[in-house]
PDB file of all heavy atoms in Angstrom:
ATOM      1  N   GLU A   1      -7.640  27.932 -25.969  1.00 93.00           N
ATOM      2  CA  GLU A   1      -6.910  27.033 -26.839  1.00 93.00           C
ATOM      3  C   GLU A   1      -5.622  27.718 -27.260  1.00 93.00           C
ATOM      4  O   GLU A   1      -5.551  28.944 -27.274  1.00 93.00           O
ATOM      5  CB  GLU A   1      -7.712  26.700 -28.100  1.00 93.00           C
ATOM      6  CG  GLU A   1      -8.831  25.748 -27.916  1.00 93.00           C
ATOM      7  CD  GLU A   1      -9.478  25.355 -29.233  1.00 93.00           C
ATOM      8  OE1 GLU A   1      -9.532  26.189 -30.158  1.00 93.00           O
ATOM      9  OE2 GLU A   1      -9.928  24.207 -29.338  1.00 93.00           O
ATOM     10  N   GLY A   2      -4.620  26.928 -27.608  1.00 94.00           N
ATOM     11  CA  GLY A   2      -3.370  27.511 -28.080  1.00 94.00           C
ATOM     12  C   GLY A   2      -2.211  26.573 -27.801  1.00 94.00           C
ATOM     13  O   GLY A   2      -2.395  25.383 -27.547  1.00 94.00           O
ATOM     14  N   ALA A   3      -1.008  27.127 -27.855  1.00 95.00           N
ATOM     15  CA  ALA A   3       0.196  26.329 -27.664  1.00 95.00           C
ATOM     16  C   ALA A   3       1.078  26.969 -26.601  1.00 95.00           C
ATOM     17  O   ALA A   3       1.150  28.187 -26.498  1.00 95.00           O
ATOM     18  CB  ALA A   3       0.957  26.199 -28.973  1.00 95.00           C
ATOM     19  N   VAL A   4       1.740  26.099 -25.839  1.00 96.00           N
ATOM     20  CA  VAL A   4       2.729  26.527 -24.861  1.00 96.00           C
ATOM     21  C   VAL A   4       4.065  25.985 -25.341  1.00 96.00           C
ATOM     22  O   VAL A   4       4.177  24.802 -25.656  1.00 96.00           O
ATOM     23  CB  VAL A   4       2.404  25.992 -23.447  1.00 96.00           C
ATOM     24  CG1 VAL A   4       3.525  26.326 -22.478  1.00 96.00           C
ATOM     25  CG2 VAL A   4       1.087  26.541 -22.956  1.00 96.00           C
ATOM     26  N   GLU A   5       5.061  26.860 -25.418  1.00 97.00           N
ATOM     27  CA  GLU A   5       6.391  26.436 -25.825  1.00 97.00           C
ATOM     28  C   GLU A   5       7.318  26.558 -24.628  1.00 97.00           C
ATOM     29  O   GLU A   5       7.331  27.575 -23.942  1.00 97.00           O
ATOM     30  CB  GLU A   5       6.898  27.291 -26.986  1.00 97.00           C
ATOM     31  CG  GLU A   5       8.116  26.715 -27.650  1.00 97.00           C
ATOM     32  CD  GLU A   5       8.485  27.467 -28.916  1.00 97.00           C
ATOM     33  OE1 GLU A   5       7.609  28.083 -29.531  1.00 97.00           O
ATOM     34  OE2 GLU A   5       9.658  27.426 -29.267  1.00 97.00           O
ATOM     35  N   ALA A   6       8.088  25.501 -24.397  1.00 97.00           N
ATOM     36  CA  ALA A   6       8.990  25.475 -23.245  1.00 97.00           C
ATOM     37  C   ALA A   6      10.384  25.020 -23.662  1.00 97.00           C
ATOM     38  O   ALA A   6      10.544  24.249 -24.606  1.00 97.00           O
ATOM     39  CB  ALA A   6       8.431  24.522 -22.183  1.00 97.00           C
ATOM     40  N   ALA A   7      11.380  25.525 -22.950  1.00 97.00           N
ATOM     41  CA  ALA A   7      12.768  25.100 -23.130  1.00 97.00           C
ATOM     42  C   ALA A   7      13.171  24.404 -21.836  1.00 97.00           C
ATOM     43  O   ALA A   7      12.763  24.799 -20.745  1.00 97.00           O
ATOM     44  CB  ALA A   7      13.665  26.297 -23.400  1.00 97.00           C
ATOM     45  N   TYR A   8      13.964  23.347 -21.963  1.00 96.00           N
ATOM     46  CA  TYR A   8      14.400  22.623 -20.773  1.00 96.00           C
ATOM     47  C   TYR A   8      15.780  22.038 -21.005  1.00 96.00           C
ATOM     48  O   TYR A   8      16.238  21.893 -22.139  1.00 96.00           O
ATOM     49  CB  TYR A   8      13.395  21.540 -20.390  1.00 96.00           C
ATOM     50  CG  TYR A   8      13.094  20.536 -21.469  1.00 96.00           C
ATOM     51  CD1 TYR A   8      13.742  19.305 -21.512  1.00 96.00           C
ATOM     52  CD2 TYR A   8      12.146  20.813 -22.447  1.00 96.00           C
ATOM     53  CE1 TYR A   8      13.454  18.378 -22.497  1.00 96.00           C
ATOM     54  CE2 TYR A   8      11.853  19.894 -23.436  1.00 96.00           C
ATOM     55  CZ  TYR A   8      12.519  18.677 -23.455  1.00 96.00           C
ATOM     56  OH  TYR A   8      12.230  17.767 -24.448  1.00 96.00           O
ATOM     57  N   ASP A   9      16.457  21.741 -19.907  1.00 95.00           N
ATOM     58  CA  ASP A   9      17.795  21.155 -19.963  1.00 95.00           C
ATOM     59  C   ASP A   9      17.727  19.715 -19.502  1.00 95.00           C
ATOM     60  O   ASP A   9      17.026  19.396 -18.538  1.00 95.00           O
ATOM     61  CB  ASP A   9      18.764  21.935 -19.065  1.00 95.00           C
ATOM     62  CG  ASP A   9      19.013  23.350 -19.555  1.00 95.00           C
ATOM     63  OD1 ASP A   9      18.747  23.615 -20.741  1.00 95.00           O
ATOM     64  OD2 ASP A   9      19.471  24.183 -18.753  1.00 95.00           O
ATOM     65  N   VAL A  10      18.473  18.864 -20.204  1.00 93.00           N
ATOM     66  CA  VAL A  10      18.583  17.455 -19.845  1.00 93.00           C
ATOM     67  C   VAL A  10      20.033  17.225 -19.426  1.00 93.00           C
ATOM     68  O   VAL A  10      20.954  17.498 -20.200  1.00 93.00           O
ATOM     69  CB  VAL A  10      18.227  16.549 -21.044  1.00 93.00           C
ATOM     70  CG1 VAL A  10      18.331  15.084 -20.655  1.00 93.00           C
ATOM     71  CG2 VAL A  10      16.848  16.872 -21.575  1.00 93.00           C
ATOM     72  N   ASP A  11      20.229  16.764 -18.186  1.00 92.00           N
ATOM     73  CA  ASP A  11      21.604  16.550 -17.737  1.00 92.00           C
ATOM     74  C   ASP A  11      22.179  15.258 -18.332  1.00 92.00           C
ATOM     75  O   ASP A  11      21.495  14.539 -19.060  1.00 92.00           O
ATOM     76  CB  ASP A  11      21.692  16.568 -16.212  1.00 92.00           C
ATOM     77  CG  ASP A  11      21.069  15.361 -15.538  1.00 92.00           C
ATOM     78  OD1 ASP A  11      20.640  14.426 -16.231  1.00 92.00           O
ATOM     79  OD2 ASP A  11      21.018  15.362 -14.296  1.00 92.00           O
ATOM     80  N   GLY A  12      23.426  14.958 -18.023  1.00 87.00           N
ATOM     81  CA  GLY A  12      24.116  13.798 -18.575  1.00 87.00           C
ATOM     82  C   GLY A  12      23.480  12.472 -18.208  1.00 87.00           C
ATOM     83  O   GLY A  12      23.703  11.454 -18.880  1.00 87.00           O
ATOM     84  N   ASN A  13      22.672  12.446 -17.171  1.00 90.00           N
ATOM     85  CA  ASN A  13      21.999  11.215 -16.750  1.00 90.00           C
ATOM     86  C   ASN A  13      20.607  11.078 -17.344  1.00 90.00           C
ATOM     87  O   ASN A  13      19.892  10.123 -17.033  1.00 90.00           O
ATOM     88  CB  ASN A  13      21.919  11.147 -15.230  1.00 90.00           C
ATOM     89  CG  ASN A  13      23.275  10.943 -14.610  1.00 90.00           C
ATOM     90  OD1 ASN A  13      24.084  10.181 -15.119  1.00 90.00           O
ATOM     91  ND2 ASN A  13      23.537  11.643 -13.508  1.00 90.00           N
ATOM     92  N   GLY A  14      20.165  12.045 -18.127  1.00 91.00           N
ATOM     93  CA  GLY A  14      18.847  11.978 -18.760  1.00 91.00           C
ATOM     94  C   GLY A  14      17.722  12.576 -17.950  1.00 91.00           C
ATOM     95  O   GLY A  14      16.558  12.406 -18.280  1.00 91.00           O
ATOM     96  N   ARG A  15      18.067  13.300 -16.891  1.00 93.00           N
ATOM     97  CA  ARG A  15      17.042  13.924 -16.040  1.00 93.00           C
ATOM     98  C   ARG A  15      16.827  15.368 -16.430  1.00 93.00           C
ATOM     99  O   ARG A  15      17.748  16.046 -16.893  1.00 93.00           O
ATOM    100  CB  ARG A  15      17.458  13.860 -14.568  1.00 93.00           C
ATOM    101  CG  ARG A  15      17.563  12.449 -14.034  1.00 93.00           C
ATOM    102  CD  ARG A  15      18.044  12.489 -12.623  1.00 93.00           C
ATOM    103  NE  ARG A  15      19.380  13.115 -12.626  1.00 93.00           N
ATOM    104  CZ  ARG A  15      20.331  12.840 -11.755  1.00 93.00           C
ATOM    105  NH1 ARG A  15      20.122  11.968 -10.805  1.00 93.00           N
ATOM    106  NH2 ARG A  15      21.497  13.453 -11.818  1.00 93.00           N
ATOM    107  N   ILE A  16      15.623  15.854 -16.212  1.00 94.00           N
ATOM    108  CA  ILE A  16      15.287  17.255 -16.483  1.00 94.00           C
ATOM    109  C   ILE A  16      15.769  18.090 -15.307  1.00 94.00           C
ATOM    110  O   ILE A  16      15.440  17.813 -14.151  1.00 94.00           O
ATOM    111  CB  ILE A  16      13.765  17.432 -16.668  1.00 94.00           C
ATOM    112  CG1 ILE A  16      13.222  16.465 -17.727  1.00 94.00           C
ATOM    113  CG2 ILE A  16      13.413  18.870 -16.996  1.00 94.00           C
ATOM    114  CD1 ILE A  16      13.812  16.627 -19.102  1.00 94.00           C
ATOM    115  N   VAL A  17      16.574  19.130 -15.595  1.00 92.00           N
ATOM    116  CA  VAL A  17      17.117  19.941 -14.505  1.00 92.00           C
ATOM    117  C   VAL A  17      16.568  21.358 -14.466  1.00 92.00           C
ATOM    118  O   VAL A  17      16.583  21.997 -13.428  1.00 92.00           O
ATOM    119  CB  VAL A  17      18.665  19.978 -14.548  1.00 92.00           C
ATOM    120  CG1 VAL A  17      19.223  18.612 -14.216  1.00 92.00           C
ATOM    121  CG2 VAL A  17      19.180  20.444 -15.881  1.00 92.00           C
ATOM    122  N   LYS A  18      16.087  21.871 -15.595  1.00 94.00           N
ATOM    123  CA  LYS A  18      15.595  23.246 -15.622  1.00 94.00           C
ATOM    124  C   LYS A  18      14.526  23.364 -16.707  1.00 94.00           C
ATOM    125  O   LYS A  18      14.713  22.880 -17.815  1.00 94.00           O
ATOM    126  CB  LYS A  18      16.760  24.180 -15.930  1.00 94.00           C
ATOM    127  CG  LYS A  18      16.414  25.637 -16.013  1.00 94.00           C
ATOM    128  CD  LYS A  18      17.647  26.436 -16.365  1.00 94.00           C
ATOM    129  CE  LYS A  18      17.249  27.751 -16.976  1.00 94.00           C
ATOM    130  NZ  LYS A  18      18.409  28.470 -17.511  1.00 94.00           N
ATOM    131  N   VAL A  19      13.410  24.021 -16.376  1.00 96.00           N
ATOM    132  CA  VAL A  19      12.320  24.218 -17.342  1.00 96.00           C
ATOM    133  C   VAL A  19      11.976  25.698 -17.368  1.00 96.00           C
ATOM    134  O   VAL A  19      11.847  26.329 -16.315  1.00 96.00           O
ATOM    135  CB  VAL A  19      11.064  23.399 -16.968  1.00 96.00           C
ATOM    136  CG1 VAL A  19       9.972  23.606 -17.984  1.00 96.00           C
ATOM    137  CG2 VAL A  19      11.392  21.936 -16.801  1.00 96.00           C
ATOM    138  N   GLU A  20      11.838  26.238 -18.571  1.00 96.00           N
ATOM    139  CA  GLU A  20      11.496  27.644 -18.726  1.00 96.00           C
ATOM    140  C   GLU A  20      10.422  27.764 -19.817  1.00 96.00           C
ATOM    141  O   GLU A  20      10.543  27.159 -20.885  1.00 96.00           O
ATOM    142  CB  GLU A  20      12.742  28.433 -19.153  1.00 96.00           C
ATOM    143  CG  GLU A  20      12.515  29.896 -19.345  1.00 96.00           C
ATOM    144  CD  GLU A  20      13.774  30.609 -19.825  1.00 96.00           C
ATOM    145  OE1 GLU A  20      14.862  30.038 -19.758  1.00 96.00           O
ATOM    146  OE2 GLU A  20      13.631  31.747 -20.301  1.00 96.00           O
ATOM    147  N   ILE A  21       9.376  28.534 -19.542  1.00 97.00           N
ATOM    148  CA  ILE A  21       8.307  28.748 -20.517  1.00 97.00           C
ATOM    149  C   ILE A  21       8.718  29.883 -21.448  1.00 97.00           C
ATOM    150  O   ILE A  21       9.024  30.993 -20.999  1.00 97.00           O
ATOM    151  CB  ILE A  21       6.971  29.085 -19.804  1.00 97.00           C
ATOM    152  CG1 ILE A  21       6.532  27.943 -18.886  1.00 97.00           C
ATOM    153  CG2 ILE A  21       5.887  29.410 -20.823  1.00 97.00           C
ATOM    154  CD1 ILE A  21       6.232  26.654 -19.592  1.00 97.00           C
ATOM    155  N   LEU A  22       8.729  29.588 -22.755  1.00 96.00           N
ATOM    156  CA  LEU A  22       9.085  30.590 -23.758  1.00 96.00           C
ATOM    157  C   LEU A  22       7.860  31.313 -24.291  1.00 96.00           C
ATOM    158  O   LEU A  22       7.883  32.514 -24.516  1.00 96.00           O
ATOM    159  CB  LEU A  22       9.832  29.929 -24.926  1.00 96.00           C
ATOM    160  CG  LEU A  22      11.129  29.201 -24.582  1.00 96.00           C
ATOM    161  CD1 LEU A  22      11.696  28.521 -25.803  1.00 96.00           C
ATOM    162  CD2 LEU A  22      12.126  30.168 -23.970  1.00 96.00           C
ATOM    163  N   LYS A  23       6.784  30.554 -24.533  1.00 96.00           N
ATOM    164  CA  LYS A  23       5.523  31.140 -25.024  1.00 96.00           C
ATOM    165  C   LYS A  23       4.424  30.675 -24.079  1.00 96.00           C
ATOM    166  O   LYS A  23       4.106  29.504 -24.012  1.00 96.00           O
ATOM    167  CB  LYS A  23       5.245  30.664 -26.442  1.00 96.00           C
ATOM    168  CG  LYS A  23       3.989  31.257 -27.027  1.00 96.00           C
ATOM    169  CD  LYS A  23       3.721  30.745 -28.426  1.00 96.00           C
ATOM    170  CE  LYS A  23       2.370  31.227 -28.897  1.00 96.00           C
ATOM    171  NZ  LYS A  23       1.907  30.468 -30.037  1.00 96.00           N
ATOM    172  N   SER A  24       3.850  31.623 -23.365  1.00 95.00           N
ATOM    173  CA  SER A  24       2.870  31.319 -22.327  1.00 95.00           C
ATOM    174  C   SER A  24       1.445  31.386 -22.864  1.00 95.00           C
ATOM    175  O   SER A  24       1.143  32.134 -23.776  1.00 95.00           O
ATOM    176  CB  SER A  24       3.036  32.306 -21.181  1.00 95.00           C
ATOM    177  OG  SER A  24       2.064  32.087 -20.202  1.00 95.00           O
ATOM    178  N   LEU A  25       0.580  30.576 -22.256  1.00 92.00           N
ATOM    179  CA  LEU A  25      -0.835  30.601 -22.581  1.00 92.00           C
ATOM    180  C   LEU A  25      -1.659  30.991 -21.358  1.00 92.00           C
ATOM    181  O   LEU A  25      -2.736  31.552 -21.486  1.00 92.00           O
ATOM    182  CB  LEU A  25      -1.267  29.216 -23.099  1.00 92.00           C
ATOM    183  CG  LEU A  25      -2.605  29.099 -23.775  1.00 92.00           C
ATOM    184  CD1 LEU A  25      -2.697  30.020 -24.961  1.00 92.00           C
ATOM    185  CD2 LEU A  25      -2.831  27.667 -24.224  1.00 92.00           C
ATOM    186  N   GLY A  26      -1.141  30.709 -20.177  1.00 89.00           N
ATOM    187  CA  GLY A  26      -1.836  31.056 -18.945  1.00 89.00           C
ATOM    188  C   GLY A  26      -2.952  30.086 -18.615  1.00 89.00           C
ATOM    189  O   GLY A  26      -3.066  29.019 -19.211  1.00 89.00           O
ATOM    190  N   TYR A  27      -3.791  30.433 -17.638  1.00 91.00           N
ATOM    191  CA  TYR A  27      -4.965  29.657 -17.217  1.00 91.00           C
ATOM    192  C   TYR A  27      -4.596  28.240 -16.782  1.00 91.00           C
ATOM    193  O   TYR A  27      -5.355  27.308 -16.953  1.00 91.00           O
ATOM    194  CB  TYR A  27      -6.019  29.610 -18.330  1.00 91.00           C
ATOM    195  CG  TYR A  27      -6.553  30.965 -18.695  1.00 91.00           C
ATOM    196  CD1 TYR A  27      -6.030  31.670 -19.761  1.00 91.00           C
ATOM    197  CD2 TYR A  27      -7.576  31.532 -17.952  1.00 91.00           C
ATOM    198  CE1 TYR A  27      -6.500  32.927 -20.084  1.00 91.00           C
ATOM    199  CE2 TYR A  27      -8.065  32.787 -18.274  1.00 91.00           C
ATOM    200  CZ  TYR A  27      -7.525  33.491 -19.341  1.00 91.00           C
ATOM    201  OH  TYR A  27      -7.995  34.732 -19.655  1.00 91.00           O
ATOM    202  N   GLY A  28      -3.386  28.049 -16.245  1.00 93.00           N
ATOM    203  CA  GLY A  28      -2.966  26.742 -15.756  1.00 93.00           C
ATOM    204  C   GLY A  28      -2.269  25.876 -16.780  1.00 93.00           C
ATOM    205  O   GLY A  28      -1.760  24.821 -16.451  1.00 93.00           O
ATOM    206  N   CYS A  29      -2.243  26.303 -18.035  1.00 95.00           N
ATOM    207  CA  CYS A  29      -1.620  25.502 -19.100  1.00 95.00           C
ATOM    208  C   CYS A  29      -0.092  25.455 -18.942  1.00 95.00           C
ATOM    209  O   CYS A  29       0.520  24.411 -19.170  1.00 95.00           O
ATOM    210  CB  CYS A  29      -1.984  26.061 -20.472  1.00 95.00           C
ATOM    211  SG  CYS A  29      -3.745  25.962 -20.838  1.00 95.00           S
ATOM    212  N   ASP A  30       0.501  26.575 -18.540  1.00 95.00           N
ATOM    213  CA  ASP A  30       1.960  26.621 -18.354  1.00 95.00           C
ATOM    214  C   ASP A  30       2.400  25.640 -17.275  1.00 95.00           C
ATOM    215  O   ASP A  30       3.372  24.888 -17.447  1.00 95.00           O
ATOM    216  CB  ASP A  30       2.422  28.026 -17.985  1.00 95.00           C
ATOM    217  CG  ASP A  30       2.053  29.061 -19.037  1.00 95.00           C
ATOM    218  OD1 ASP A  30       1.693  28.670 -20.163  1.00 95.00           O
ATOM    219  OD2 ASP A  30       2.136  30.269 -18.718  1.00 95.00           O
ATOM    220  N   GLU A  31       1.668  25.615 -16.173  1.00 95.00           N
ATOM    221  CA  GLU A  31       2.000  24.719 -15.071  1.00 95.00           C
ATOM    222  C   GLU A  31       1.851  23.253 -15.493  1.00 95.00           C
ATOM    223  O   GLU A  31       2.623  22.385 -15.081  1.00 95.00           O
ATOM    224  CB  GLU A  31       1.113  25.003 -13.851  1.00 95.00           C
ATOM    225  CG  GLU A  31       1.403  26.335 -13.180  1.00 95.00           C
ATOM    226  CD  GLU A  31       0.771  27.543 -13.871  1.00 95.00           C
ATOM    227  OE1 GLU A  31      -0.021  27.352 -14.840  1.00 95.00           O
ATOM    228  OE2 GLU A  31       1.075  28.668 -13.466  1.00 95.00           O
ATOM    229  N   GLU A  32       0.859  22.967 -16.337  1.00 95.00           N
ATOM    230  CA  GLU A  32       0.650  21.605 -16.814  1.00 95.00           C
ATOM    231  C   GLU A  32       1.814  21.162 -17.705  1.00 95.00           C
ATOM    232  O   GLU A  32       2.270  20.018 -17.625  1.00 95.00           O
ATOM    233  CB  GLU A  32      -0.685  21.498 -17.568  1.00 95.00           C
ATOM    234  CG  GLU A  32      -0.965  20.134 -18.133  1.00 95.00           C
ATOM    235  CD  GLU A  32      -1.082  19.049 -17.091  1.00 95.00           C
ATOM    236  OE1 GLU A  32      -1.231  19.338 -15.887  1.00 95.00           O
ATOM    237  OE2 GLU A  32      -1.021  17.865 -17.487  1.00 95.00           O
ATOM    238  N   VAL A  33       2.313  22.056 -18.539  1.00 96.00           N
ATOM    239  CA  VAL A  33       3.449  21.714 -19.408  1.00 96.00           C
ATOM    240  C   VAL A  33       4.699  21.476 -18.554  1.00 96.00           C
ATOM    241  O   VAL A  33       5.437  20.519 -18.797  1.00 96.00           O
ATOM    242  CB  VAL A  33       3.692  22.828 -20.466  1.00 96.00           C
ATOM    243  CG1 VAL A  33       5.003  22.622 -21.183  1.00 96.00           C
ATOM    244  CG2 VAL A  33       2.537  22.848 -21.451  1.00 96.00           C
ATOM    245  N   ILE A  34       4.921  22.296 -17.549  1.00 96.00           N
ATOM    246  CA  ILE A  34       6.078  22.099 -16.652  1.00 96.00           C
ATOM    247  C   ILE A  34       5.955  20.744 -15.956  1.00 96.00           C
ATOM    248  O   ILE A  34       6.931  20.000 -15.852  1.00 96.00           O
ATOM    249  CB  ILE A  34       6.180  23.251 -15.648  1.00 96.00           C
ATOM    250  CG1 ILE A  34       6.573  24.534 -16.371  1.00 96.00           C
ATOM    251  CG2 ILE A  34       7.162  22.926 -14.534  1.00 96.00           C
ATOM    252  CD1 ILE A  34       6.500  25.792 -15.525  1.00 96.00           C
ATOM    253  N   ARG A  35       4.753  20.405 -15.488  1.00 96.00           N
ATOM    254  CA  ARG A  35       4.552  19.097 -14.829  1.00 96.00           C
ATOM    255  C   ARG A  35       4.885  17.962 -15.769  1.00 96.00           C
ATOM    256  O   ARG A  35       5.573  17.011 -15.405  1.00 96.00           O
ATOM    257  CB  ARG A  35       3.102  18.988 -14.350  1.00 96.00           C
ATOM    258  CG  ARG A  35       2.800  17.699 -13.608  1.00 96.00           C
ATOM    259  CD  ARG A  35       1.303  17.520 -13.382  1.00 96.00           C
ATOM    260  NE  ARG A  35       0.598  17.178 -14.583  1.00 96.00           N
ATOM    261  CZ  ARG A  35       0.503  15.949 -15.096  1.00 96.00           C
ATOM    262  NH1 ARG A  35       1.108  14.934 -14.497  1.00 96.00           N
ATOM    263  NH2 ARG A  35      -0.186  15.716 -16.196  1.00 96.00           N
ATOM    264  N   LEU A  36       4.412  18.049 -17.017  1.00 96.00           N
ATOM    265  CA  LEU A  36       4.675  16.990 -18.004  1.00 96.00           C
ATOM    266  C   LEU A  36       6.161  16.847 -18.309  1.00 96.00           C
ATOM    267  O   LEU A  36       6.683  15.736 -18.376  1.00 96.00           O
ATOM    268  CB  LEU A  36       3.912  17.283 -19.299  1.00 96.00           C
ATOM    269  CG  LEU A  36       2.461  16.888 -19.351  1.00 96.00           C
ATOM    270  CD1 LEU A  36       1.846  17.338 -20.659  1.00 96.00           C
ATOM    271  CD2 LEU A  36       2.300  15.401 -19.185  1.00 96.00           C
ATOM    272  N   ILE A  37       6.830  17.969 -18.512  1.00 96.00           N
ATOM    273  CA  ILE A  37       8.248  17.931 -18.860  1.00 96.00           C
ATOM    274  C   ILE A  37       9.060  17.318 -17.723  1.00 96.00           C
ATOM    275  O   ILE A  37       9.982  16.536 -17.962  1.00 96.00           O
ATOM    276  CB  ILE A  37       8.762  19.335 -19.232  1.00 96.00           C
ATOM    277  CG1 ILE A  37       8.165  19.751 -20.582  1.00 96.00           C
ATOM    278  CG2 ILE A  37      10.283  19.364 -19.290  1.00 96.00           C
ATOM    279  CD1 ILE A  37       8.497  21.162 -21.008  1.00 96.00           C
ATOM    280  N   LYS A  38       8.702  17.614 -16.492  1.00 95.00           N
ATOM    281  CA  LYS A  38       9.435  17.044 -15.355  1.00 95.00           C
ATOM    282  C   LYS A  38       9.251  15.538 -15.233  1.00 95.00           C
ATOM    283  O   LYS A  38      10.054  14.864 -14.588  1.00 95.00           O
ATOM    284  CB  LYS A  38       9.030  17.741 -14.053  1.00 95.00           C
ATOM    285  CG  LYS A  38       9.577  19.149 -13.959  1.00 95.00           C
ATOM    286  CD  LYS A  38       9.245  19.794 -12.649  1.00 95.00           C
ATOM    287  CE  LYS A  38       9.863  21.170 -12.556  1.00 95.00           C
ATOM    288  NZ  LYS A  38       9.564  21.836 -11.282  1.00 95.00           N
ATOM    289  N   LEU A  39       8.229  14.977 -15.873  1.00 95.00           N
ATOM    290  CA  LEU A  39       8.009  13.534 -15.856  1.00 95.00           C
ATOM    291  C   LEU A  39       8.849  12.799 -16.899  1.00 95.00           C
ATOM    292  O   LEU A  39       8.973  11.573 -16.843  1.00 95.00           O
ATOM    293  CB  LEU A  39       6.533  13.222 -16.108  1.00 95.00           C
ATOM    294  CG  LEU A  39       5.540  13.653 -15.043  1.00 95.00           C
ATOM    295  CD1 LEU A  39       4.115  13.374 -15.518  1.00 95.00           C
ATOM    296  CD2 LEU A  39       5.816  12.935 -13.732  1.00 95.00           C
ATOM    297  N   LEU A  40       9.413  13.521 -17.869  1.00 94.00           N
ATOM    298  CA  LEU A  40      10.143  12.890 -18.973  1.00 94.00           C
ATOM    299  C   LEU A  40      11.465  12.274 -18.498  1.00 94.00           C
ATOM    300  O   LEU A  40      12.124  12.806 -17.614  1.00 94.00           O
ATOM    301  CB  LEU A  40      10.437  13.916 -20.074  1.00 94.00           C
ATOM    302  CG  LEU A  40       9.234  14.546 -20.747  1.00 94.00           C
ATOM    303  CD1 LEU A  40       9.684  15.605 -21.740  1.00 94.00           C
ATOM    304  CD2 LEU A  40       8.390  13.507 -21.454  1.00 94.00           C
ATOM    305  N   LYS A  41      11.838  11.166 -19.134  1.00 92.00           N
ATOM    306  CA  LYS A  41      13.118  10.490 -18.877  1.00 92.00           C
ATOM    307  C   LYS A  41      13.816  10.309 -20.214  1.00 92.00           C
ATOM    308  O   LYS A  41      13.248   9.755 -21.142  1.00 92.00           O
ATOM    309  CB  LYS A  41      12.885   9.119 -18.236  1.00 92.00           C
ATOM    310  CG  LYS A  41      12.134   9.149 -16.933  1.00 92.00           C
ATOM    311  CD  LYS A  41      13.026   9.571 -15.815  1.00 92.00           C
ATOM    312  CE  LYS A  41      12.277   9.432 -14.504  1.00 92.00           C
ATOM    313  NZ  LYS A  41      12.306  10.571 -13.692  1.00 92.00           N
ATOM    314  N   PHE A  42      15.054  10.769 -20.301  1.00 93.00           N
ATOM    315  CA  PHE A  42      15.829  10.688 -21.531  1.00 93.00           C
ATOM    316  C   PHE A  42      16.990   9.721 -21.361  1.00 93.00           C
ATOM    317  O   PHE A  42      17.404   9.401 -20.246  1.00 93.00           O
ATOM    318  CB  PHE A  42      16.369  12.072 -21.905  1.00 93.00           C
ATOM    319  CG  PHE A  42      15.330  12.992 -22.476  1.00 93.00           C
ATOM    320  CD1 PHE A  42      14.484  13.706 -21.633  1.00 93.00           C
ATOM    321  CD2 PHE A  42      15.185  13.136 -23.830  1.00 93.00           C
ATOM    322  CE1 PHE A  42      13.520  14.553 -22.158  1.00 93.00           C
ATOM    323  CE2 PHE A  42      14.223  13.976 -24.368  1.00 93.00           C
ATOM    324  CZ  PHE A  42      13.390  14.679 -23.526  1.00 93.00           C
TER     325      PHE A  42
END
């Protein structure tokens, strides 16, 4: 259990262009957060 903190960039069109994990938890949680962030639309 715990929290994963990530930083990401949103380009001018609202798409995610870069994702970086700031606070890792491991055990597949980091990859799940990256997957979720890449699905976001702004």
Side-chain angles (χ1 to χ4, degrees):
E1 285 186 327
V4 174
E5 193 172 335
Y8 57 97
D9 294 340
V10 181
D11 71 5
N13 291 320
R15 296 177 299 210
I16 307 300
V17 291
K18 179 182 157 189
V19 181
E20 180 182 346
I21 300 296
L22 301 176
K23 182 182 173 196
S24 177
L25 193 58
Y27 298 95
C29 296
D30 301 346
E31 291 80 7
E32 178 62 15
V33 169
I34 291 171
R35 182 190 73 82
L36 278 176
I37 289 175
K38 287 183 177 181
L39 293 175
L40 298 176
K41 302 282 187 231
F42 285 83

